[in-house]
Amino acid sequence: LWHEPKEILKVCPILVIPRGEESVSELTDFASGLTKEFGGDIRISDRIFGNDVSSTSLRARYALGMQTEGILPAVRAVIEEKELYSVQKKMAERVKASLPEKRWNHTCGVVLTGLEMAEIFRVDKEKAFTACLLHDCMKYAETVHEGVPSDAIGTKVLHAFNGAEEAKINYGITDEDTINAIRYHTTGRPAMSDLEKLVYLADVIEPGRTYDGVDEIRALGFKDLDAAFKLSLKRSYELLLKKGNPIYPLTVDCYRYYFGKGEETLAK
């Protein structure tokens, strides 16, 4: 997934240091397949092992203004000198200014969780960062944009629809998948994309969430995106029914799409 891997391999050999639970044998087999495809020299270290640190996570932490002790000083100096990730950093600063501290901490948790899932499930990380960052950007806004469904106004799902419009109008987001991931992160909808499921899930399993059953959904969320999404949807839907809370029509449609039944079936 690196940029121009063939050109990199022409310049120098690659030393791979296992991290986390990665095994030397699995990496050796993977490297063998890469050298057959790209050529070059890829070597797997069997003596040096690294911590399970993600460069994607470190870049996101930098953009979010979080602690980044994991970034080497020389690398951070280049980031600051070249103003790398400045677009993401400015976007994050703007979102942070619109949210209370507790909600901003939640947003940071959603971004980092979403990026971790994006690496696992091969979802576009730039889109995941943007959608997760903006998912609650209108949570406390008084303005309601044109394009928001009238039946969402005055409900708990308003901020999702309003946030999607805000992303287009004031953040310049044009990618439809990113916009939809913001729009449907609370309600869900039939036939959701992987990015939409990812943001929906990251919102409910980020480290700050402590409701009953979150550990099971969280564990599954890093193994099987579809199964975790369906489990979360099912638990949420049934809880709303149990409490007698109104369920937004699009959520009913989403549930019927994935489970083949709706409110009237569960009510029995």
Side-chain angles (χ1 to χ4, degrees):
L1 298 178
W2 285 2
H3 180 64
E4 300 290 356
K6 291 183 180 179
E7 297 303 314
I8 294 173
L9 285 164
K10 287 178 184 177
V11 175
C12 61
I14 301 297
L15 175 63
V16 179
I17 300 176
R19 69 183 189 189
E21 299 179 354
E22 295 172 335
S23 71
V24 172
S25 61
E26 289 176 338
L27 290 172
T28 300
D29 291 341
F30 190 68
S32 177
L34 288 177
T35 53
K36 288 179 182 178
E37 181 178 358
F38 297 119
D41 180 8
I42 303 177
R43 310 173 191 182
I44 313 299
S45 170
D46 60 359
R47 297 185 180 183
I48 305 172
F49 294 86
N51 294 326
D52 192 9
V53 178
S54 165
S55 59
T56 299
S57 175
L58 289 175
R59 290 194 295 271
R61 285 177 176 274
Y62 173 79
L64 294 169
M66 302 174 70
Q67 294 295 319
T68 53
E69 292 88 349
I71 296 181
L72 295 172
V75 175
R76 186 182 181 100
V78 172
I79 290 174
E80 293 174 348
E81 177 187 352
K82 303 294 184 182
E83 296 185 344
L84 303 179
Y85 319 119
S86 60
V87 173
Q88 295 92 330
K89 193 172 181 64
K90 289 176 182 177
M91 187 183 297
E93 289 171 350
R94 185 173 175 183
V95 174
K96 182 178 181 179
S98 70
L99 299 174
E101 183 178 4
K102 185 176 181 180
R103 181 57 53 172
W104 171 246
N105 291 337
H106 161 72
T107 296
C108 290
V110 174
V111 170
L112 296 177
T113 300
L115 286 174
E116 186 176 352
M117 295 170 66
E119 286 200 79
I120 295 170
F121 301 117
R122 296 288 189 259
V123 174
D124 186 292
K125 286 182 279 191
E126 183 175 346
K127 292 181 182 181
F129 177 91
T130 302
C132 288
L133 176 65
L134 297 179
H135 83 286
D136 273 354
C137 68
M138 293 293 279
K139 187 76 173 179
Y140 300 95
E142 296 181 0
T143 302
V144 177
H145 291 299
E146 290 187 18
V148 170
S150 58
D151 63 355
I153 298 174
T155 73
K156 291 184 177 181
V157 305
L158 168 62
H159 73 282
F161 293 101
N162 213 17
E165 299 304 318
E166 176 75 1
K168 291 188 292 184
I169 296 168
N170 290 317
Y171 285 90
I173 307 303
T174 59
D175 177 72
E176 198 62 30
D177 198 20
T178 302
I179 293 167
N180 285 338
I182 299 168
R183 179 180 286 124
Y184 302 116
H185 82 268
T186 300
T187 62
R189 69 161 177 166
M192 294 175 74
S193 71
D194 283 350
L195 179 63
E196 291 174 46
K197 293 175 186 174
L198 182 149
V199 177
Y200 180 101
L201 269 176
D203 184 32
V204 298
I205 67 171
E206 61 94 2
R209 298 294 198 185
T210 58
Y211 57 87
D212 290 342
V214 67
D215 290 337
E216 182 183 1
I217 300 172
R218 185 178 287 134
L220 190 58
F222 296 105
K223 296 178 181 178
D224 188 323
L225 181 64
D226 291 333
F229 166 73
K230 290 181 68 175
L231 177 60
S232 179
L233 174 64
K234 185 174 187 293
R235 295 272 177 85
S236 174
Y237 194 94
E238 292 179 348
L239 183 61
L240 288 171
L241 282 180
K242 183 178 180 180
K243 290 183 175 181
N245 292 342
I247 302 177
Y248 191 70
L250 193 58
T251 303
V252 177
D253 293 342
C254 179
Y255 191 91
R256 286 173 176 165
Y257 179 87
Y258 286 102
F259 293 99
K261 56 185 177 181
E263 182 177 356
E264 67 284 350
T265 302
L266 281 178
K268 296 178 183 179

